[in-house]
């Protein structure tokens, strides 16, 4: 999308084309968990699952997997935790590139 750099005060600066956005780093109230679902033997993700403590079924993927006992292949792994975000709330500033061959 663009290029993120940091100034001397550790504030993020986002450059998108010829526009510049200045922002700040904000701590999230509730951290977000990034998960990964393993691929099935046919190369697709998901299937039909029964959530613990519930008799409802939840469709994941194309729903072609059978419901049954849970084994190691049915686990969802946690890839990371997001605790901060970049907040850009001001209007973008235009970036003007000067030409070295400007006519006088």
């Amino acid at each position: 999308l663009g290029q993120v750099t940091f100034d001397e005060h550790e504030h993020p600066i986002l450059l998108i084309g010829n526009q510049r956005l200045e922002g700040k780093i904000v701590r999230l109230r509730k951290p977000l968990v990034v998960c990964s679902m393993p691929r099935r033997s046919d190369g697709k993700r998901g299937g039909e699952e029964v959530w613990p403590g519930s008799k409802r079924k939840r469709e994941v993927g194309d729903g072609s997997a059978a419901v049954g006992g849970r084994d190691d292949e049915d686990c969802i792994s946690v890839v990371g935790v997001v605790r901060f975000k970049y907040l850009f709330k001001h209007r973008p500033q235009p970036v003007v590139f000067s030409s070295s061959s400007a006519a006088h």
Side-chain angles (χ1 to χ4, degrees):
L1 176 74
Q3 180 182 1
V4 177
T5 58
F6 294 90
D7 65 4
E8 63 274 358
H9 302 291
E10 295 297 320
H11 293 123
I13 297 172
L14 177 62
L15 292 172
I16 302 175
N18 62 350
Q19 296 183 345
R20 177 181 176 197
L21 291 131
E22 294 180 2
K24 62 182 178 178
I25 299 174
V26 178
R27 180 180 281 275
L28 295 173
R29 282 186 238 162
K30 292 183 178 181
L32 299 172
V33 177
V34 180
C35 298
S36 173
M37 186 179 287
R39 296 204 179 267
R40 298 187 319 214
S41 59
D42 60 1
K44 297 179 182 176
R45 288 187 182 265
E48 194 173 89
E49 294 185 7
V50 177
W51 291 95
S54 173
K55 294 185 180 183
R56 294 185 321 150
K57 294 180 182 177
R58 180 172 178 255
E59 281 293 315
V60 179
D62 62 0
S64 61
V67 177
R70 300 185 62 83
D71 53 5
D72 290 340
E73 292 179 1
D74 293 337
C75 293
I76 297 175
S77 60
V78 174
V79 177
V81 178
V82 179
R83 291 189 171 97
F84 298 94
K85 68 177 178 179
Y86 296 149
L87 179 64
F88 300 97
K89 63 180 184 178
H90 299 291
R91 290 188 171 267
Q93 301 169 350
V95 176
V96 180
F97 298 102
S98 62
S99 171
S100 61
S101 62
H104 291 2

